[in-house]
Amino acid sequence: AATGVPIDAALARRWSPRALDPQRPLARPALRALLEAARWAPSCFGDQPWRYVCWDRHRDADGFAAALATLSDGNRSWARHAAVLALAVALPDFRHSGQPNRWAQYDTGAASENLCVQAAALGLVAHQMGGFDAAAAAALAGLPERTTPMAMIALGHPAPADTLPEAQRARE
């Protein structure tokens, strides 16, 4: 990244590519490392008010297709090559008190950023998306009421930019 001042290399390497290799599965140890990085994010009272629901195209093609169908057309056009789609979910109440946690969504964003930085450190792609049908994703995942689907994240191995449709290559 061309930063205005020097920043840590792990942060400078993080970006959100769209070119993904559809042939390469995401190894379980790598997925566990991404989720472990999310787990170590700071959160109010250490409550960790996030959960991730993952659909792996190489292990559950039907589940992956259903998750893919919740994405906007523009995101679906490239995210279909991801190895995994992960839904980031914020839980609304503190576990220790049952009271509303107004920081849950903020904390879920921090966890997702940790996941993305870890992906960059492993040479993987993690691309967060807001363009998805949150209600459809919640229904697909069987989420409890009052939870909030925050983002869908495409995960996988990078591919050359020239594998993207022409319109997306320039953005890449």
Side-chain angles (χ1 to χ4, degrees):
T3 61
V5 296
I7 63 172
D8 189 80
L11 297 172
R13 278 193 307 271
R14 193 224 58 82
W15 70 299
S16 300
R18 291 176 181 82
L20 292 143
D21 185 342
Q23 303 305 316
R24 292 188 66 189
L26 189 60
R28 283 295 184 233
L31 181 57
R32 281 194 299 273
L34 300 179
L35 297 173
E36 182 68 5
R39 186 174 79 89
W40 281 94
S43 63
C44 186
F45 287 110
D47 197 69
Q48 299 177 321
W50 54 79
R51 299 294 181 271
Y52 293 88
V53 180
C54 298
W55 293 276
D56 186 319
R57 75 192 308 265
H58 298 277
R59 292 177 179 252
D60 176 14
D62 292 340
F64 182 88
L68 188 66
T70 70
L71 300 182
S72 67
D73 290 341
N75 286 333
R76 193 178 312 122
S77 70
W78 60 267
R80 64 191 173 88
H81 295 300
V84 172
L85 290 174
L87 177 64
V89 180
L91 307 179
D93 300 319
F94 286 113
R95 288 181 289 162
H96 71 276
S97 68
Q99 296 300 306
N101 178 356
R102 80 176 193 90
W103 299 276
Q105 294 179 13
Y106 179 85
D107 292 348
T108 301
S112 294
E113 178 64 4
N114 272 18
L115 184 153
C116 290
V117 171
Q118 182 65 30
L122 295 175
L124 299 171
V125 171
H127 187 121
Q128 299 184 74
M129 298 169 276
F132 72 104
D133 183 329
L140 175 63
L143 297 180
E145 284 188 37
R146 297 188 60 241
T147 58
T148 305
M150 298 303 300
M152 194 71 83
I153 308 171
L155 304 170
H157 293 273
D162 64 5
T163 62
L164 289 168
E166 182 68 36
Q168 292 173 345
R169 278 186 221 155
R171 292 177 69 189
E172 194 74 358

